[in-house]
Amino acid sequence: MLTRPLVRSTRTPLQQQLHHQRPFASSSLPRSVVKPNNIPRYPQPGTPLPFWRRRPVVTGCIALPFVLTGSVAFLTGALLLYDASTYADRHTERVPVNPMLLHPERGGKKNLKVAKYLVGDNDPTHEEGKQRMVIVGGGWGSVGLLKNLDPDQWHVTVVAPENYFLFHPLLPSATVGTVEVRSLVEPLRKIIARVSGHFLQAKAVDIDFSERLLEVQDVSGEENFYLPYDKLVIACGSVNSTHGVPGLENCHQLKTVGDAQAIRRKVMDNLEKAALPSTEEEERQRLLSFVVCGGGPTGVEFASELFDMVNEDVLQYMPKLLRDEIKVSIIQSRDHILNTYSEKISEYAEKKFARNEIDMILNARVKSVSPTEVAYTQKDADGKTITKTVNSGFTLWSTGIAMNPFTERVASLLPNQYHKHALEVDSHLRVIGAPLGTVYALGDCATVETRLVDHLLEMVDRCDVNHDGVIDEKEFDIMMKIVDRKFPTAQIHVDKIRDIFDKYADPNSHVIGLNELAELFLHVSKKMTALPATAQVANQQGVYLGKKFSKIAKTGHDAAVENQVYDDPDDMLFTPFKYKHLGSLAYIGNSAVLDFGKFSWAGGLWAMYAWRGVYFSEQVSFRSRMLLMVDWVKRGIWGRDLSRF
């Protein structure tokens, strides 16, 4: 009897189970219904697997170059297409021009041309009927204002001698090539475009308050002209204070792009000349002596950047003798560098400089500066003032601020302007003495008034409800609320109102007389300090004015002034400015210090990266962020550029 050989089934267990369980296999239903579609099809035994499944690693290695090449080709093609789309052959014809622009009228006290219409006023993006706002300066305050201003409410014109915004906090890094100057600037016209405004590359020289005319001078020195305004914002910054020291023409300053470029050239000139074999030893030591006058953030950061360049680049590419003979000195008039920071920060910076062999000359005042040396005075152990000198091949002057010529002119035209270094403004940033609600100032060129006693009679008149000539406890509470609103910086000194009232009130009648009030106001005024002249303050003031102007333009500020509806329209329509300190930063050589008031941090690389992160986030555009990041990467990979041009 023949038997069939046993053949092992090629079905999978799941297929066999389904084969035995289908009772309707021979039914008249279509085969597509009988056979499940979700049964996976596995390769038959003996069928070879594809190469990519048998050798996935090898396949990945082979495919990787093709994937990378294809990705690069795709991205390159996309970039080329985008780049091609940016080129355009555009031109316009028959551009409308206002006849008043071509033939402006003359007026004002000096009979100058009055620029009632500007080039571009007839463009589609400009509308008539808006209030005129003129901003003098293109710094932190102006940019903060422009970024927060309602573009539908104002006809904006910015007047500045440079057509770019400069990120000042990183300017010391540009003096030695850590970052490039181009990475720290942003064209003002791009920022102004947000509000469809105008830019005039010129400088303000005078003002006519009665007719609301700003006198403007072209940078080339041609005929001046008037620029009319409804609101004038003075944000032109400051200049370095000379303190009456002779010989400052032999110093470099660090406030502009030109300053940073001049310092970079001078540093490289000194290094290259010191490397020449013909240079005498004494002259070489003088050339390699760098003196910084001023122990504030700018002076400290420049000294740190210079020291980093010497250790990381000069030591590698130039004769080692230069590194051995380089000397960096800081002359500071106080007993600590970075004296505006916390004591912990100052001590850390001093220890860091001591390790780096940076000479700190404390409690010293610069007496004179010559091309070859800096003379300074100090007191000896007996209290006598003695004069010392230090050789200098390069001197940086960074000691305080002073008024620029325009703010000096404005202050001379107004009463009640007593400050020597800035225009005094009230809590709404209005220039004191100017017509109400027309002229504002912010940034380095302005300081908020702190003289409470000047407003004593005004406050007594408003708070003395029963007109008895004295202030009781209830009236004193009302007065303190007014003080808090008109002088926000005084609040920290009058928090405990009850204690202050009990201290100055008569113990029997429990009231305060005018003499006691005057004493109280003088006591609080002495404790109040002016806001620091920093980018942080200017930016916050600019943001405040931008939001404020956007609101009051909609609620009829000028109508309120004209109709005398309110005695203080700004105060009725918006809150006073209150500064919120977000912290102070400083770079001290591959490390940084961060002072946030109650919290301070001083450390190495991690603190430096935090310092970089803060300044990276504060850039005004994505473009400047990318340029800054590229500069930091270039320095890390290839070092600083030691070229001189």
Side-chain angles (χ1 to χ4, degrees):
M1 176 175 139
L2 297 175
T3 59
R4 299 178 59 185
L6 296 176
V7 180
R8 182 174 295 179
S9 175
T10 60
R11 295 191 181 98
T12 64
L14 178 61
Q15 290 174 327
Q16 292 179 7
Q17 182 179 1
L18 292 173
H19 176 76
H20 292 294
Q21 289 181 356
R22 50 181 184 177
F24 48 89
S26 60
S27 64
S28 59
L29 292 176
R31 187 174 181 83
S32 60
V33 177
V34 176
K35 184 177 181 179
N37 292 327
N38 59 348
I39 298 178
R41 294 183 177 273
Y42 296 96
Q44 296 295 326
T47 303
L49 294 173
F51 179 80
W52 63 271
R53 292 188 63 180
R54 289 185 286 113
R55 297 290 187 270
V57 176
V58 177
T59 304
C61 295
I62 296 174
L64 182 60
F66 295 96
V67 172
L68 293 177
T69 303
S71 300
V72 171
F74 175 78
L75 292 175
T76 303
L79 288 174
L80 289 175
L81 288 175
Y82 173 76
D83 183 68
S85 67
T86 60
Y87 295 95
D89 186 16
R90 301 174 184 174
H91 62 279
T92 55
E93 297 179 355
R94 298 180 180 179
V95 178
V97 179
N98 194 305
M100 296 295 294
L101 172 65
L102 301 178
H103 306 285
E105 298 178 349
R106 290 183 175 270
K109 296 179 180 179
K110 299 181 181 179
N111 195 32
L112 300 175
K113 294 179 180 179
V114 181
K116 294 182 179 179
Y117 296 91
L118 301 176
V119 178
D121 272 340
N122 289 340
D123 291 350
T125 55
H126 296 85
E127 301 177 7
E128 296 184 359
K130 296 180 181 180
Q131 297 185 72
R132 293 177 177 270
M133 177 184 295
V134 177
I135 303 173
V136 179
W140 282 95
S142 302
V143 171
L145 193 160
L146 291 169
K147 286 192 169 185
N148 291 271
L149 192 66
D150 186 352
D152 298 327
Q153 302 294 330
W154 298 95
H155 178 282
V156 181
T157 304
V158 177
V159 179
E162 293 88 17
N163 67 345
Y164 55 83
F165 163 79
L166 174 61
F167 192 87
H168 284 91
L170 287 176
L171 205 55
S173 299
T175 61
V176 295
T178 304
V179 299
E180 296 297 330
V181 173
R182 181 65 65 180
S183 305
L184 305 181
V185 299
E186 184 71 15
L188 276 175
R189 290 188 180 274
K190 288 188 176 181
I191 301 174
I192 298 170
R194 177 190 170 274
V195 294
S196 301
H198 300 273
F199 173 76
L200 302 179
Q201 189 169 1
K203 58 181 180 180
V205 294
D206 205 349
I207 187 172
D208 185 345
F209 293 104
S210 60
E211 299 189 34
R212 296 190 184 184
L213 295 174
L214 177 71
E215 185 178 344
V216 177
Q217 183 183 61
D218 183 7
V219 291
S220 62
E222 296 182 1
E223 182 184 6
N224 296 3
F225 61 92
Y226 282 130
L227 192 63
Y229 66 87
D230 296 308
K231 290 281 189 295
L232 175 65
V233 180
I234 302 175
C236 52
S238 60
V239 297
N240 283 329
S241 177
T242 63
H243 298 288
V245 176
L248 293 189
E249 64 275 7
N250 301 309
C251 297
H252 289 264
Q253 300 182 3
L254 188 54
K255 291 186 73 70
T256 66
V257 168
D259 292 340
Q261 293 172 331
I263 291 174
R264 188 171 178 178
R265 287 192 291 267
K266 178 63 175 177
V267 170
M268 292 310 305
D269 285 343
N270 284 17
L271 292 174
E272 294 294 351
K273 188 174 181 180
L276 295 175
S278 58
T279 303
E280 298 291 339
E281 179 65 22
E282 183 178 351
E283 176 66 7
R284 179 182 297 109
Q285 292 178 356
R286 187 192 68 82
L287 289 171
L288 298 179
S289 177
F290 298 87
V291 179
V292 179
C293 301
T298 301
V300 167
E301 289 184 348
F302 170 75
S304 302
E305 291 283 358
L306 180 63
F307 183 82
D308 289 347
M309 184 194 72
V310 169
N311 280 334
E312 298 168 6
D313 300 278
V314 173
L315 185 62
Q316 183 175 0
Y317 299 107
M318 302 188 77
K320 304 296 186 292
L321 180 63
L322 301 187
R323 171 63 187 92
D324 184 57
E325 295 189 350
I326 279 181
K327 179 183 178 182
V328 181
S329 304
I330 296 180
I331 302 177
Q332 167 69 329
S333 60
R334 305 296 180 87
D335 54 354
H336 291 285
I337 61 173
L338 298 178
N339 60 290
T340 57
Y341 291 63
S342 67
E343 185 178 354
K344 174 184 175 182
I345 295 295
S346 297
E347 291 178 354
Y348 180 87
E350 289 172 359
K351 291 179 181 178
K352 176 76 173 178
F353 278 10
R355 290 195 303 268
N356 294 343
E357 298 180 352
I358 295 178
D359 186 20
M360 292 170 289
I361 306 173
L362 305 178
N363 294 315
R365 294 186 177 275
V366 177
K367 184 178 181 180
S368 63
V369 181
S370 70
T372 58
E373 66 179 16
V374 176
Y376 61 93
T377 59
Q378 277 184 319
K379 291 186 177 181
D380 59 12
D382 298 330
K384 296 181 179 179
T385 301
I386 57 176
T387 301
K388 300 180 181 179
T389 60
V390 56
N391 290 336
S392 176
F394 169 90
T395 305
L396 175 68
W397 183 263
S398 177
T399 59
I401 62 173
M403 284 187 181
N404 64 34
F406 176 63
T407 51
E408 281 186 345
R409 175 58 179 167
V410 173
S412 67
L413 296 174
L414 296 175
N416 303 324
Q417 287 289 336
Y418 305 112
H419 203 278
K420 296 181 180 179
H421 305 296
L423 292 172
E424 285 194 283
V425 298
D426 61 11
S427 58
H428 286 274
L429 305 184
R430 298 171 297 191
V431 176
I432 296 175
L436 185 65
T438 59
V439 184
Y440 298 76
L442 69 160
D444 293 0
C445 67
T447 182
V448 180
E449 67 169 334
T450 58
R451 298 186 310 276
L452 275 72
V453 71
D454 290 354
H455 301 267
L456 174 62
L457 297 179
E458 173 192 349
M459 292 189 182
V460 170
D461 184 60
R462 294 181 61 179
C463 301
D464 188 10
V465 180
N466 53 14
H467 304 287
D468 58 356
V470 293
I471 301 297
D472 58 26
E473 186 174 355
K474 184 177 180 180
E475 294 169 341
F476 185 75
D477 291 342
I478 299 174
M479 182 177 290
M480 290 301 99
K481 291 180 181 179
I482 297 176
V483 169
D484 177 38
R485 188 169 182 86
K486 294 183 71 68
F487 299 92
T489 56
Q491 181 59 31
I492 59 176
H493 305 294
V494 296
D495 279 340
K496 298 180 180 179
I497 297 177
R498 180 67 189 182
D499 295 342
I500 295 177
F501 182 82
D502 293 340
K503 179 179 179 180
Y504 289 92
D506 185 273
N508 298 322
S509 59
H510 296 285
V511 295
I512 301 180
L514 288 180
N515 292 334
E516 289 76 15
L517 275 176
E519 183 181 353
L520 166 62
F521 279 22
L522 284 173
H523 175 72
V524 175
S525 297
K526 290 179 180 178
K527 290 187 175 181
M528 293 171 60
T529 57
L531 297 177
T534 62
Q536 183 179 164
V537 173
N539 184 67
Q540 289 189 26
Q541 290 176 336
V543 172
Y544 164 81
L545 280 185
K547 294 179 179 179
K548 175 180 178 176
F549 288 150
S550 298
K551 181 176 181 179
I552 65 178
K554 300 175 183 178
T555 51
H557 176 277
D558 288 345
V561 174
E562 182 178 354
N563 299 324
Q564 299 181 351
V565 177
Y566 312 114
D567 60 344
D568 193 342
D570 283 67
D571 199 39
M572 295 291 294
L573 299 175
F574 211 77
T575 58
F577 170 73
K578 288 188 177 182
Y579 171 63
K580 183 179 180 181
H581 184 60
L582 302 178
S584 301
L585 313 174
Y587 177 79
I588 55 174
N590 291 334
S591 59
V593 292
L594 301 90
D595 187 3
F596 300 105
K598 296 182 179 180
F599 169 76
S600 59
W601 181 27
L605 289 178
W606 288 112
M608 185 196 69
Y609 289 137
W611 171 81
R612 284 185 176 181
V614 171
Y615 284 157
F616 180 83
S617 64
E618 291 297 320
Q619 297 297 311
V620 297
S621 69
F622 182 76
R623 164 192 166 275
S624 58
R625 289 190 183 95
M626 291 299 100
L627 291 176
L628 189 61
M629 179 62 71
V630 169
D631 285 345
W632 283 332
V633 172
K634 287 194 304 182
R635 187 220 65 83
I637 298 176
W638 295 289
R640 296 171 180 81
D641 185 1
L642 298 181
S643 304
R644 192 275 190 207
F645 51 87

